[in-house]
Amino acid sequence: MYKLHYFSSDISNCELPKQFTFPFNYTPHPLAKVATEELQNYLETQKDFNHDFGIDNPNSQNALGKMFGVLVVKDCDGKLGYLAAFSGKLAESTQHSFFVPPIYDILVKDGFYRTTENELNKINKEIESIENNSKYINIKRNFELQYQKHNSLLATEKQHIKTRQKTRKQTYKALQQSLSEEEITSYQNKLNQLKINESFYLREYEVYLNDKLYPLKTELDSFKSRIEFLKKERAQKSAWVQQEIFKNYSFLNTSSEEKNLLDIFSNTKQNIPAGAGDCSAPKLLQYAFLNNLTPICMAEFWWGKPLISSVRKHGYFYPACVGKCKPILSHMLEGLHVEENPIYVELKAAKEIEIIYEDDTLAVINKPVDLLSVSGTEIEDSVYTRMKKRYPNATGPLIVHRLDMSTSGILLIAKTKEAHHFLQDQFKDKTIQKRYVALLDGVLSEKKGEISLPLKVDFHYRPKQMVCFDKGKKALTKWKTVEVINGKTKVYFYPITGRTHQLRMHAAHHLGLNTPIVGDDLYGKKTNRLHLHAEYIAFIHPKTKKQIEFMVKSEF
């Protein structure tokens, strides 16, 4: 079987996983790691295609990193091998000998996509030809000039009439005292008639001006009608070809049940994203199901130059995307015995909350790692629910600020509405002093600095964040090195703003420190925990109005 690669490495010591990989949060199985190493070795030595990944020259404008995936499978004889795939296109092609094919190849010659694409190109060329036609340009310019001129003449005439009406009104007021009732009535009738006459005159004048424009407008409308017809035809063809693509992207599961993109996304609240079905994971599973191969485990990794917006490190493993792949994989994984989401496993573990300080107004706690600040859609246990039980008579929302689930450290709890407002105002005014400690996975070249990278949610990879200079929210972090320990750097972070995943993104992103926090399963490499801890806080007490401070040392 051409696309199935049997292991050249020794895998005799690798036990089979008991369950298939949960694709959205996983630690790669040893078999998936071996398959990844063999695929990466192929990428380093292959001569099948030319693609600039930007590994040797990351500053190259043409370089483009790529997400790859491996799926360890068992063939009909029980022998293990692996399949390989890439997301999207590679070297301007969707088909390469080493990799599984796409779900549906829209680039196939003489296919409906290419045929429609040619038709759309013809329409675009005709629209461009009309819009660049010298006759059309001259008529359009002349019409606009004449139109502006006529509007100016009409506006001038309106102003003249308005001035005359104002003068007549003033004259009438001056004569009113000396006129009899009969003369007043006669004068008013005369004024009303003049007003009616001027109104008719304005309409007639406007018709006269429009008549002068009519020949130019007729010629211009002829061009515009053709352009509008072509644009409508283009929109219809584009909509049709998009629907055909959605129909042809059809996915199997272990029961050989087939669903296309229209079926899969019909019960979701989102529109079908661009590129849905072109990621590695769906391609790999589809090929396995089509060829009676049993999926064992899988992994995806980034190869090459990082993206500007998102954190992508060369050679690092990453989960499948949520926005495009989750609805698809939910169907494709039906019937497979899949691991439980590791996050849910971690959240179920018993974790005690340490109360550092409390009085009748507030409490200061040390949040343990892997505990939510507030309840999620599927997990109820959180700091909020526990504080609600501990302080049943407390008023207000209790939670003043939040820490990421994976971050440990100091959190403030307000027992009254007044305390909550008072403390939140300090956060808004940035008068609260906070310090985080983190262990970074590498050595920094600088000793201190400031990072300003605006952030927004990465919709396809929620809850991840991405750098966005156009629509991102301002995010500012100050930092300084504390010490270097065995090739890792302990730093202090001083967040000026409080964006989601701000410190994690500013540490990992190549425009930031380019050094992920140790144990960051979203932006770095997973270990026993995320080595990020909120260790110090200083604020004004809501009741005493005096500054108090607290510090809790980290466990790392």
Side-chain angles (χ1 to χ4, degrees):
M1 190 174 293
Y2 190 59
K3 302 299 181 183
L4 176 57
H5 308 282
Y6 292 105
F7 287 97
S8 57
S9 307
D10 181 13
I11 57 169
S12 57
N13 292 327
C14 294
E15 294 185 7
L16 290 180
K18 295 178 182 178
Q19 298 169 300
F20 186 72
T21 313
F22 180 75
F24 306 106
N25 189 322
Y26 63 89
T27 299
H29 186 272
L31 283 170
K33 286 185 176 180
V34 175
T36 296
E37 288 170 4
E38 292 195 7
L39 172 54
Q40 291 177 350
N41 181 62
Y42 163 77
L43 291 172
E44 288 172 342
T45 59
Q46 63 81 28
K47 298 187 185 302
D48 298 336
F49 59 86
N50 292 315
H51 182 91
D52 183 6
F53 290 104
I55 297 170
D56 298 324
N57 184 17
N59 295 322
S60 169
Q61 294 297 315
N62 297 321
L64 180 66
K66 181 66 59 177
M67 193 74 80
F68 288 88
V70 293
L71 175 65
V72 178
V73 295
K74 188 186 291 183
D75 68 13
C76 295
D77 298 323
K79 189 175 181 181
L80 290 176
Y82 66 90
L83 305 172
F86 53 86
S87 293
K89 291 189 297 184
L90 180 62
E92 295 305 314
S93 177
T94 57
Q95 303 267 10
H96 291 279
S97 60
F98 194 88
F99 301 96
V100 301
I103 304 296
Y104 178 77
D105 192 355
I106 62 172
L107 300 182
V108 65
K109 189 178 178 181
D110 298 327
F112 74 87
Y113 180 81
R114 279 290 175 87
T115 301
T116 309
E117 186 179 45
N118 290 334
E119 292 172 356
L120 291 172
N121 286 337
K122 288 180 182 178
I123 291 173
N124 287 332
K125 284 181 180 178
E126 187 176 349
I127 291 173
E128 186 180 353
S129 175
I130 295 172
E131 290 177 338
N132 292 326
N133 184 293
S134 58
K135 186 177 180 182
Y136 170 69
I137 292 170
N138 288 332
I139 290 171
K140 185 179 178 183
R141 182 175 60 246
N142 290 338
F143 177 82
E144 288 172 352
L145 289 172
Q146 284 293 97
Y147 185 75
Q148 290 173 5
K149 181 181 177 182
H150 289 188
N151 278 346
S152 177
L153 289 170
L154 191 63
T156 301
E157 200 60 38
K158 285 180 179 178
Q159 186 59 47
H160 288 162
I161 291 171
K162 189 176 181 181
T163 302
R164 289 199 296 270
Q165 288 176 347
K166 186 177 180 182
T167 302
R168 291 198 298 266
K169 192 174 182 180
Q170 290 172 344
T171 303
Y172 169 67
K173 282 186 177 180
L175 294 172
Q176 197 172 9
Q177 300 298 324
S178 61
L179 295 176
S180 66
E181 288 186 15
E182 185 177 340
E183 288 173 325
I184 289 174
T185 302
S186 175
Y187 202 94
Q188 285 177 338
N189 289 337
K190 183 180 178 182
L191 291 180
N192 291 337
Q193 187 60 51
L194 284 171
K195 193 172 184 180
I196 292 170
N197 291 345
E198 286 169 335
S199 179
F200 275 113
Y201 165 72
L202 270 180
R203 285 201 290 270
E204 288 296 322
Y205 188 54
E206 191 170 7
V207 169
Y208 164 75
L209 293 174
N210 287 338
D211 284 344
K212 292 187 71 175
L213 275 175
Y214 183 75
L216 277 174
K217 187 176 184 302
T218 302
E219 284 190 88
L220 183 61
D221 285 348
S222 177
F223 283 104
K224 284 187 173 181
S225 294
R226 181 59 183 167
I227 293 172
E228 289 304 315
F229 173 81
L230 290 170
K231 286 183 176 180
K232 187 175 181 181
E233 186 181 11
R234 182 177 63 185
Q236 289 172 342
K237 284 183 180 292
S238 296
W240 176 84
V241 78
Q242 190 67 75
Q243 291 300 302
E244 289 301 305
I245 290 172
F246 293 157
K247 290 176 187 175
N248 280 279
Y249 270 76
S250 194
F251 307 85
L252 293 168
N253 60 20
T254 53
S255 303
S256 297
E257 294 173 341
E258 200 168 10
K259 286 186 178 181
N260 61 35
L261 285 173
L262 294 171
D263 300 326
I264 288 171
F265 281 86
S266 62
N267 294 323
T268 67
K269 294 181 180 179
Q270 68 183 104
N271 295 324
I272 301 175
D278 286 328
C279 295
S280 296
K283 290 182 183 180
L284 292 166
L285 289 168
Q286 182 82 343
Y287 191 86
F289 295 147
L290 284 170
N291 293 279
N292 298 314
L293 300 170
T294 304
I296 302 299
C297 59
M298 68 175 293
E300 294 182 78
F301 64 92
W302 184 259
W303 194 254
K305 180 181 178 178
L307 298 174
I308 292 294
S309 57
S310 304
V311 173
R312 296 286 186 274
K313 300 291 184 184
H314 175 61
Y316 279 36
F317 289 102
Y318 290 96
C321 66
V322 175
K324 289 187 283 189
C325 286
K326 190 170 185 179
I328 296 170
L329 295 184
S330 296
H331 159 67
M332 298 189 83
L333 294 176
E334 285 179 8
L336 279 178
H337 193 34
V338 181
E339 295 171 339
E340 186 179 6
N341 187 342
I343 290 179
Y344 296 162
V345 175
E346 292 165 356
L347 287 174
K348 288 175 183 176
K351 303 175 185 68
E352 293 298 321
I353 293 179
E354 177 189 1
I355 306 296
I356 303 169
Y357 168 86
E358 69 174 318
D359 56 30
D360 59 348
T361 304
L362 59 85
V364 182
I365 69 165
N366 180 18
K367 185 186 88 67
V369 68
D370 293 331
L371 179 66
L372 293 169
S373 294
V374 296
S375 304
T377 53
E378 299 179 45
I379 300 293
E380 183 181 0
D381 186 31
S382 64
V383 172
Y384 174 77
T385 54
R386 295 196 193 184
M387 293 299 102
K388 194 71 175 172
K389 290 178 182 177
R390 183 179 178 93
Y391 306 118
N393 297 321
T395 60
L398 288 170
I399 304 296
V400 180
H401 60 121
R402 301 185 188 186
L403 293 177
D404 289 346
M405 179 194 77
S406 301
T407 305
S408 59
I410 297 173
L411 266 182
L412 301 184
I413 306 298
K415 295 183 179 181
T416 66
K417 286 182 180 180
E418 294 75 19
H420 186 271
H421 289 314
F422 189 85
L423 292 170
Q424 275 217 323
D425 283 344
Q426 292 182 66
F427 276 100
K428 290 176 184 176
D429 296 337
K430 297 179 174 55
T431 56
I432 285 188
Q433 300 172 42
K434 293 177 292 177
R435 185 177 74 223
Y436 290 71
V437 63
L439 189 64
L440 304 189
D441 196 9
V443 178
L444 304 178
S445 57
E446 304 291 332
K447 295 298 181 184
K448 62 180 180 178
E450 190 175 282
I451 305 162
S452 179
L453 291 174
L455 302 175
K456 62 173 282 191
V457 67
D458 190 339
F459 293 106
H460 291 315
Y461 288 88
R462 288 177 182 272
K464 285 187 177 182
Q465 303 295 302
M466 63 188 291
V467 171
C468 181
F469 292 97
D470 292 329
K471 298 181 180 178
K473 293 181 179 179
K474 181 183 177 181
L476 181 62
T477 304
K478 293 183 178 181
W479 65 275
K480 75 174 182 178
T481 297
V482 179
E483 59 179 332
V484 177
I485 313 165
N486 299 323
K488 302 186 188 307
T489 307
K490 182 175 279 191
V491 298
Y492 284 148
F493 280 128
Y494 304 92
I496 308 304
T497 54
R499 307 301 177 202
T500 302
H501 295 181
Q502 177 177 317
L503 301 181
R504 298 167 72 171
M505 275 291 289
H506 281 181
H509 199 276
H510 69 282
L511 296 177
L513 295 179
N514 199 25
T515 312
I517 298 172
V518 172
D520 193 337
D521 58 343
L522 293 180
Y523 308 105
K525 294 179 180 178
K526 189 173 183 178
T527 58
N528 62 317
R529 65 156 290 177
L530 175 68
H531 286 59
L532 178 62
H533 178 77
E535 73 165 10
Y536 173 83
I537 195 167
F539 58 95
I540 304 299
H541 193 284
K543 197 169 186 178
T544 66
K545 302 298 186 290
K546 293 181 179 179
Q547 179 171 297
I548 55 175
E549 60 181 7
F550 300 92
M551 189 169 82
V552 177
K553 285 289 185 181
S554 68
E555 297 175 355
F556 52 85

